[in-house]
Amino acid sequence: MRDGVHRLARRILGPLVASVAFAVAAPAAMAACDGGDVAPTDPGAVAATLCLLNEQRGAHGLSPLSESAKLDRAADDYAADMVAREFFDHVSPGGGTMLDRIKAAGWVPNGSWSAGENIAWGSGSLATPASIVDGWMHSAGHRANILTGAYTQIGIGIADGAPQDGVRGAGTYVTDFTSGGAAASAGTPAVAKKRPAPARCASKARAASTLRARIALVARGAAVARRCGAKR
């Protein structure tokens, strides 16, 4: 199986709107960050991913994102969950959404807020932070999340492996973006509200493309946004 990369993006503009969009955008240079070509299992992969994302923001006159331990935990757990249960979607098989996950990790909406999520997995040479970020920057929905000026914090999770069997040398990435959130009060952990599982929202990951790169689940992603988008 050749190298492959799969991406899916969701942007949530709290408290009412969820959308997914995909398109091709112009490439951008990613030469200033150390570790861009490391394997997803490398201890420096998260730092490299953050550097590459902030490099893109800086090139467009935007402030850098600050890494949040709470968002890191939500992103890391979700990346591992997709690999363990072999699905690739913003909505888990049980119906959990990004907002459920980040609230459970301690992020609390405060005033005017926004949140977004990019996910991707790649294998071989396309599993590196540089390849993943470059792929996101070539898709309008992912690019919009990365270049949203309102976002101030990010959580990054990278899991060893693909969200399907039979793929070696793969990495699964999750990035959660937020603005306007506050940490949960001490002694008052955030509890995500459980919802009934939406029908067929989460999907098994499909086989890696024989093309060098493509966006996975494009049409399904749009349908998921309509059927499973968080409503607040």
Side-chain angles (χ1 to χ4, degrees):
M1 182 177 292
R2 297 183 184 178
D3 297 346
V5 62
H6 301 249
R7 305 178 294 274
L8 193 59
R10 170 159 292 170
R11 189 179 184 188
I12 303 171
L13 302 179
L16 297 175
V17 179
S19 64
V20 179
F22 301 90
V24 175
M30 299 183 182
C33 295
D34 293 333
D37 293 328
V38 301
T41 53
D42 190 283
V46 169
T49 302
L50 177 61
C51 178
L52 291 164
L53 292 171
N54 279 334
E55 182 179 65
Q56 292 296 326
R57 288 174 64 88
H60 291 81
L62 302 174
S63 299
L65 298 164
S66 298
E67 193 172 4
S68 161
K70 291 181 174 65
L71 296 178
D72 275 350
R73 183 164 62 251
D76 198 54
D77 288 350
Y78 194 56
D81 189 33
M82 286 194 288
V83 172
R85 293 200 282 172
E86 298 180 11
F87 72 96
F88 181 64
D89 208 305
H90 294 286
V91 182
S92 73
T97 68
M98 175 209 175
L99 289 179
D100 293 329
R101 295 188 290 273
I102 63 177
K103 286 179 180 179
W107 183 87
V108 180
N110 183 27
S112 177
W113 59 270
S114 59
E117 180 174 78
N118 285 351
I119 64 177
W121 72 268
S123 60
S125 63
L126 293 181
T128 66
S131 291
I132 294 295
V133 173
D134 184 61
W136 280 333
M137 289 301 294
H138 281 78
S139 167
H142 308 86
R143 181 184 176 94
N145 277 341
I146 293 167
L147 299 182
T148 293
Y151 291 149
T152 57
Q153 291 190 312
I154 189 172
I156 301 171
I158 305 175
D160 182 16
Q164 68 172 52
D165 286 331
V167 182
R168 296 181 180 179
T172 298
Y173 289 66
V174 175
T175 49
D176 290 334
F177 307 83
T178 66
S179 69
S185 301
T188 310
V191 178
K193 295 181 180 179
K194 293 185 178 180
R195 299 185 181 86
R200 296 186 300 278
C201 285
S203 60
K204 287 284 186 177
R206 297 180 182 178
S209 173
T210 55
L211 302 176
R212 280 203 51 81
R214 74 176 177 89
I215 298 166
L217 306 175
V218 175
R220 187 175 179 85
V224 166
R226 292 194 296 270
R227 185 172 63 248
C228 307
K231 296 183 184 298
R232 292 288 187 277

